Amino acid sequence: MKRYPHNLIVALALSAYTALLGACNIAFPTVRIPTRPDNFDTQTDILSSDLLANARACVHLGAPRTNEHYQMLVLLNDYRAANGLNRLSYSKTLEQAADQYANRLFREGFFDHVAPDGTGPADRAIAAGFCDRYVGENLAYGLNQVTSAGQAMQGFKDSPHHNENMLREQWDYVGIGYLEVSGFQGTEYWWVQLFGTEQENN
């Protein structure tokens, strides 16, 4: 049964990319339900009362859904801070779009920024209720690889285009997508970073 290459696959898009990787689904998959983060602090993780009060409703600031989402957010923000950039606020709207896309990549057996129906990252963000179409997206996939946020982040750092995307000054928000599925071939992992701005075409 063919699905994807066993090595790490990562890809980048600011609006849309082309080329599809077709594949069949694993039979009888088991989806692991991640646990909720137990150490999210609203002050240290950029959810101050001022930000909550001033954020637009379409952003929907909040806490990451699971520990895996939280770990990726922390690593991403620490990396940006180490490079002299602002930490990103966490958008539940972007998280919803990213999580839904991770699930769709698995269900429909493809790996690309452009879905078979022609929709791209901006379409998914808007469909989830986000404010603007100016978004960026990093994707990572691994079969028995990229099993942690740290491994996915390292893959992004090692890829010049993904690294550039993570270090863009104009981003204000991020939402993380994550899916883990076990099947006959092993365990597959999908990671999504979906970035957004406070103002369109910022």
Side-chain angles (χ1 to χ4, degrees):
M1 179 175 290
K2 179 181 178 183
R3 187 169 180 85
Y4 305 108
H6 286 218
N7 59 320
L8 167 68
I9 305 174
V10 287
L12 159 74
L14 290 179
S15 59
Y17 255 38
T18 58
L20 300 177
L21 291 175
C24 60
N25 288 329
I26 294 177
F28 308 111
T30 300
V31 179
R32 189 179 74 82
I33 306 300
T35 57
R36 292 180 58 82
D38 54 10
N39 56 345
F40 188 88
D41 183 275
T42 58
Q43 298 301 315
T44 60
D45 293 287
I46 46 101
L47 278 182
S48 68
S49 57
D50 287 343
L51 280 172
L52 288 170
N54 295 325
R56 293 177 290 175
C58 53
V59 172
H60 187 186
L61 293 181
R65 185 172 64 84
T66 72
N67 277 321
E68 286 78 7
H69 294 73
Y70 172 76
Q71 290 162 11
M72 178 62 84
L73 172 66
V74 170
L75 290 172
L76 174 63
N77 272 338
D78 286 351
Y79 185 51
R80 285 179 61 88
N83 283 273
L85 297 170
N86 61 303
R87 292 177 178 268
L88 303 179
S89 299
Y90 197 75
S91 167
K92 297 293 288 182
T93 307
L94 293 177
E95 178 191 75
Q96 178 183 336
D99 269 340
Q100 289 176 346
Y101 198 55
N103 277 273
R104 185 176 183 183
L105 291 172
F106 162 67
R107 289 195 322 269
E108 299 184 20
F110 70 96
F111 186 82
D112 198 273
H113 295 281
V114 181
D117 61 4
T119 55
D123 301 306
R124 294 188 286 276
I126 293 296
F130 193 65
C131 325
D132 304 311
R133 296 186 61 84
Y134 188 74
V135 300
E137 181 179 79
N138 282 348
L139 303 177
Y141 164 83
L143 175 60
N144 300 319
Q145 298 184 53
V146 290
T147 62
S148 68
Q151 291 180 12
M153 272 293 296
Q154 191 59 54
F156 290 144
K157 290 179 183 179
D158 292 341
S159 168
H161 292 301
H162 299 84
N163 190 60
E164 178 184 357
N165 209 20
M166 291 192 296
L167 297 180
R168 289 185 181 274
E169 293 184 10
Q170 62 263 52
W171 300 139
D172 299 298
Y173 307 110
V174 69
I176 305 300
Y178 173 78
L179 180 65
E180 175 184 334
V181 180
S182 297
F184 293 138
Q185 294 178 310
T187 302
E188 296 177 280
Y189 300 86
W190 288 262
W191 296 90
V192 182
Q193 295 175 335
L194 187 58
F195 305 96
T197 65
E198 176 61 33
Q199 198 166 30
E200 188 172 5
N201 297 323
N202 191 9

